[in-house]
Amino acid sequence: MAALSQLAPMVALAAPLTLLLVGLLPPPLVRAHPTLMARLNGTAAWLALACAVATAGLYLLGEPQSWTLYSRELPGPFGAFSVAVYVNAITVIMLLLVSLVGAVVSRYARNYLDGEPNQGRFHQWLSLTLAAILTLIVSGNLLMFGLAWISTSLCLHQLLMFYPERPAAVLAAHKKFVASRIGDFSLLAAIFLIGSSLHTLEFEQIFDAMAALQGPLPPALHWAAVLVVVSAALKSAQFPFHGWLIQVMEAPTPVSALLHAGIVNAGAFLVLRMSPVMSASEGALALLAVIGLITLTLASLVMLSQTSVKVSLAWSTTAQMGFMLLECGLGLYSLAMLHLVAHSLYKAHAFLASGSGVDAFRAPSVSFAHQGFRPGRLLLALVAATLAVLAVGGAFGVEAGSHPALMAAGAIVAVAISQLILQATTIGRFAFAVRSAGLSLLVATCYFALHRLFELALAGSVAPAPLAGPLHSALSLAVVGVFLGLLVAQQLLREAPGSAARSALYVHLYNGLYIDIFLTRVLQRLWPSPAPASRGDTSRYTELGHEFK
């Protein structure tokens, strides 16, 4: 019986190991047989997906399971470092998601990079990157988690530097390198504080200790939660260190898809995994919510002014990451996980199909007559959308005022579906209005149904956050106000053609309000990026030495 309880963790560990074996093949063999390397990488990625499916079948949303392969006591009061696997609902969902995206990206990259001089090396680093991400997901020890966190960044750096002769690629990778090292230091400091306070680094024991904790949260754990926020924000490209995510478009499209659909979500995954510690620190959650809210506000406005498909998608990712961390900061962990899954699948498809997106943009489309900004019509659409959300939410047992953050999320859904209703009132066709009303009700129903489904799936895997309080309520009201402001701002930007003020604002938004430009200049003075390689130079860019060999 004990062996059966450890079967799911054993199978989960096999997922990263298959990719690691491919990634550790000798470089001369990789360079000599690039096509074989592409096939091996794809085969390993699909085997990892099969292991993820098998893990889900063995777990079946039961009790959390852990298995330790190797353990060694650390000096001091920190507990032990172990090669351990921890399987709960979060592990299973993330393992399925990342392995699926990895398999699809690996297959796409096989055709995309066919004929490239360094094709074999690309697939080798892709295997190692996927192995690092999956190791991060299945880690059962906090220090093992931290090492996998760092490895993910180091391996991804090699993919971002696939074209080392491109100056923009070198600068973007350098900026990400600096941001990642700050995030790594923050996470390691948080691990130090947690280990010294709870005297263990095993996730299962940490969660049990937090559940048994009585009285106020020790200061060391509060600062550990704050450091987790810093690390998550830097990993997810949050304000003001968001520029690197926009500028890594010089990397091949499969790298963009993997980064935006998988790796950048690691910030939210870190918060979800550490929810027992995070939920005990109201200040850390509030800080996370504020960072996310500022980021999504900026990115949502800037995205409207972009002309490049991939750059617009990158700003969209920044906004979605801000939204996701905002949900975590408000304690809506199940919604954050739902958001993470939906965004990963959508963004992987969006990047891999970005060429088709350009074709669709160029295709003829039906345009409607410009009618200008009408506040009364917008207010009517908002009222109708709010009534629809309240009706559907009531059917799912959500009562007004019972959970301020959840009601704020419902208000965001109302803002979203008000766009559908607004289009119907603008066109003025009865059939279109009926269809838009039905689609609005369907969107609201799917939102509450999926929220309930993920809430049930994550029960026992995340620690509930405080549901009420002055700070929590104030943040919820601020979120509603910001989204209403964004709705009005977007309408004004779209409905005021030819305005001098609108043209000037578009210029500033197109440049991201110059925030990243300022930080880039400061970084280049403090730590200049290396010079790009010449086109004939096939040497490898090494991140640790940060120089070309």
Side-chain angles (χ1 to χ4, degrees), residues 414-456:
V415 169
I417 65 177
S418 67
Q419 299 287 338
L420 297 174
I421 300 174
L422 187 61
Q423 290 180 6
T425 58
T426 302
I427 295 173
R429 296 178 182 176
F430 179 76
F432 191 84
V434 172
R435 186 171 61 181
S436 297
L439 184 58
S440 299
L441 289 173
L442 178 62
V443 169
T445 302
C446 290
Y447 164 78
F448 284 104
L450 288 172
H451 170 246
R452 181 59 56 86
L453 177 64
F454 273 75
E455 194 173 39
L456 293 174

Side-chain angles (χ1 to χ4, degrees), residues 238 268 285-297 319-333 336 339 405 408-409 412 472 475-476 478-480 482-483:
Q238 296 296 282
L285 288 179
L287 175 62
L288 184 65
V290 170
I291 293 173
L293 187 59
I294 293 174
T295 304
L296 78 88
T297 303
Q320 295 295 333
M321 290 301 102
F323 195 2
M324 203 178 298
L325 294 184
L326 170 63
E327 291 166 333
C328 291
L330 294 176
L332 301 174
Y333 298 130
H339 192 170
I412 295 171
H472 193 268
L475 284 172
S476 300
V479 169
V480 176
V482 166
F483 272 87

Side-chain angles (χ1 to χ4, degrees), residues 157-177:
H157 188 84
Q158 301 298 330
L159 295 177
L160 294 177
M161 287 302 304
F162 185 69
Y163 297 120
E165 72 277 2
R166 298 181 178 180
V170 174
L171 178 59
H174 176 69
K175 290 163 65 175
K176 185 194 178 301
F177 176 87

Side-chain angles (χ1 to χ4, degrees), residues 41-111:
N41 174 47
T43 301
W46 286 107
L47 285 175
L49 176 59
C51 291
V53 173
T55 302
L58 292 169
Y59 175 69
L60 290 178
L61 299 180
E63 294 295 324
Q65 303 172 19
S66 61
W67 175 58
T68 301
L69 180 63
Y70 168 82
S71 180
R72 184 178 181 86
E73 287 293 327
L74 297 172
F78 305 106
F81 164 74
S82 64
V83 178
V85 181
Y86 183 69
V87 176
N88 63 358
I90 296 176
T91 307
V92 169
I93 294 172
M94 289 296 297
L95 194 63
L96 286 169
L97 176 67
V98 174
S99 59
L100 173 61
V101 171
V104 173
V105 168
S106 297
R107 183 63 185 88
Y108 181 92
R110 179 177 160 188
N111 291 340

Side-chain angles (χ1 to χ4, degrees), residues 488-540:
V488 174
Q490 290 174 356
Q491 292 297 318
L492 288 173
L493 287 172
R494 291 171 179 167
E495 303 295 342
S499 167
R502 175 183 179 274
S503 299
L505 181 59
Y506 253 72
V507 172
H508 299 316
L509 290 177
Y510 182 83
N511 290 283
L513 301 182
Y514 312 102
I515 297 168
D516 180 64
I517 295 175
F518 171 76
L519 290 178
T520 300
R521 289 175 178 174
V522 173
L523 176 61
Q524 288 295 80
R525 291 178 182 177
L526 298 176
W527 189 358
S529 61
S534 63
R535 287 190 175 273
D537 185 4
T538 59
S539 61
R540 293 176 59 187

Side-chain angles (χ1 to χ4, degrees), residues 5 58 260 278 302 407 440 446 450:
S5 66
L58 292 169
H260 288 258
M278 299 300 300
V302 172
M407 294 308 298
S440 299
C446 290
L450 288 172

Side-chain angles (χ1 to χ4, degrees), residues 186-357:
S186 299
L187 181 58
L188 290 176
I191 293 172
F192 173 84
L193 292 174
I194 292 172
S196 61
S197 299
L198 301 180
H199 311 299
T200 181
L201 295 176
E202 305 298 325
F203 278 126
E204 192 171 28
Q205 296 175 14
I206 290 173
F207 300 159
D208 291 341
M210 292 303 301
L213 186 65
Q214 300 292 331
L217 186 69
L221 292 180
H222 169 74
W223 286 111
V226 172
L227 289 169
V228 167
V229 168
V230 173
S231 186
L234 289 169
K235 194 73 164 184
S236 295
Q238 296 296 282
F239 176 88
F241 303 102
H242 56 274
W244 64 265
L245 184 62
I246 314 302
Q247 295 156 4
V248 293
M249 297 299 103
E250 291 290 330
T253 296
V255 180
S256 299
L258 180 64
L259 173 62
H260 288 258
I263 297 176
V264 79
N265 293 312
F269 172 68
L270 170 63
V271 177
L272 290 169
R273 179 63 93 193
M274 299 302 299
S275 62
V277 177
M278 299 300 300
S279 295
S281 177
E282 187 178 10
L285 288 179
L287 175 62
L288 184 65
V290 170
I291 293 173
L293 187 59
I294 293 174
T295 304
L296 78 88
T297 303
L298 172 67
S300 298
L301 292 174
V302 172
M303 185 177 64
L304 296 175
S305 64
Q306 302 304 308
T307 55
S308 167
V309 172
K310 290 181 71 174
V311 172
S312 181
L313 287 173
W315 277 107
S316 169
T317 298
T318 304
Q320 295 295 333
M321 290 301 102
F323 195 2
M324 203 178 298
L325 294 184
L326 170 63
E327 291 166 333
C328 291
L330 294 176
L332 301 174
Y333 298 130
S334 56
L335 276 182
M337 179 58 80
L338 169 60
H339 192 170
L340 192 157
V341 172
H343 175 263
S344 294
L345 296 176
Y346 155 71
K347 199 53 65 74
H349 174 268
F351 270 100
L352 297 180
S354 56
S356 302

